[in-house]
Amino acid sequence: MIDSFLQAAPVLHHLESAGYEAYFVGGSVRDFLLKKPISDVDIATSATPEEMKQVFRKTVDVGIQHGTLLVLYKGNSYEVTTFRAESEYVDFRRPKEVVFIRSLLDDLQRRDFTMNAIAMDHKWNIIDPFNGQQALKEKLIQTVGSAEERFTEDALRMMRAVRFVSTLSFTIESVTLIALKRHQNLLEKIAIERKRAEFEKLLAGLNRRNALRLLLEVGIYKFLPGFENREDVLTRLIECECEDLNINEMWLLIIYYLNATEKQEIEAFLKEWKLPVKQIKEIIRLFFFLKKRLAKQWDTYELYSAGKEAIVSVEKLYEVVTETKPHKGMDHWLELYEALPIKDRAQLKVTGTDLLSWFNQGGGPWVKEMIEKVELAIIMGEIKNEHLEIKEWLEKCNRK
Ligand code: ATP
Ligand code: MG
């Protein structure tokens, strides 16, 4: 954990040697002080992006309009952001423009919560003008300055507060909570993509059920796509032992409690959340395996077509929604899966080219059909996955 900072320390050094200030900031300092694993080290500096480019040879423009540059250094990359103040907030959303500044204090002041407004220099000195360490000690989520102002400037901060309840198991400080209750309707204005990022972090947190309860009690759920009139969904989620589920499995659980059964309905819900198409497809795939599994046990072909990861996800969901540990549970199905002679069509010891030459026929849909026939016969244990055996078997089938 300290390693990430040690590795990144030369980046701060270089900036300082060039006459600028540079600090570790944000989630990495917070998590370090909490003795938690650090995801990525964020760096803030008084240098502007152009000035940073003079200091480092390799940089990538990732968000230069916000003052963020990716610095590539000794095989690692670091997001380095110029100290900034956010001027004018428009319509309760992120500021229209950012202003680069030279003062660390002003940069920390624009941050959301006191626990996120702590800086650390490369000598491990902590700069904590808003008493963030005290908040960490008391496990409190408290805005920097007036909660009313901070939430009206950028309403997403209210969702961030709830997601930190989930990921850190902290409590929202009382004045901050009052402001949150008062201003939650401003979340209406916030882009779905930003809400989704926070919601997915919430769904993955250890304390997710309490965070979901808070969404329900405070009323924030009304501003989340698809949840508008669905207190029932939240209520059921809160009651579930869902802590071991990953993000896609949580989405699946939500869909299950929405009672959505048609593909279009599920797709529409996930699209409203602007999930990537690939993720939507995977969740829908899992949903239909879950649906089948709830109706009956797995058969060999389903185990094969689902694949290991989906079997694990579906079995986890099965246990959560039925609140049972079935006699033939995860281990049983995984054992059957492991025993399958092939796990993927690519492992077949026959190819389309083989078929064309064996049967001396032009290409056509029959090739795919025959491959599928072989695949099924192998999975069902009727024949072995061996070139010659497949050939003989097909010739015999053809003669019939
Ligand atoms: P995580 O460990 O989950 O990444 P984080 O606190 O680092 O948590 P980020 O979204 O990565 O969260 O943001 C980095 C830092 O930027 C925060 O710690 C906070 O100081 C600041 N920040 C992020 N979003 C906002 C916001 N909407 N308003 C004010 N400050 C913010
Ligand atoms: Mg972060």
Side-chain angles (χ1 to χ4, degrees), residues 133-176:
Q133 291 172 102
Q134 186 61 28
L136 289 179
K137 219 178 270 167
E138 294 174 27
K139 297 182 183 256
L140 280 182
I141 301 160
Q142 180 168 26
T143 51
V144 174
S146 152
E148 299 269 331
E149 270 173 37
R150 307 320 306 281
F151 289 157
T152 41
E153 281 168 0
D154 180 3
L156 186 79
R157 291 170 185 156
M158 293 183 274
M159 256 198 99
R160 285 176 59 83
V162 185
R163 80 101 151 154
F164 285 120
V165 168
S166 177
T167 55
L168 301 175
S169 301
F170 278 22
T171 320
I172 302 179
E173 176 273 334
S174 56
V175 176
T176 303

Side-chain angles (χ1 to χ4, degrees), residues 274-325:
K274 303 210 169 158
L275 252 61
V277 176
K278 204 172 149 208
Q279 193 182 357
I280 295 182
K281 274 197 180 148
E282 180 55 18
I283 296 168
I284 292 178
R285 197 177 91 89
L286 289 175
F287 178 80
F288 284 102
F289 280 117
L290 175 65
K291 201 170 153 185
K292 274 194 206 156
R293 176 66 182 101
L294 287 166
K296 64 174 188 53
Q297 303 201 333
W298 292 94
D299 67 33
T300 312
Y301 186 73
E302 280 161 8
L303 287 172
Y304 171 77
S305 37
K308 191 172 179 170
E309 259 181 64
I311 299 170
V312 170
S313 290
V314 168
E315 282 306 306
K316 280 163 79 180
L317 259 297
Y318 182 93
E319 288 185 17
V320 172
V321 300
T322 61
E323 294 178 46
T324 55
K325 254 200 176 318

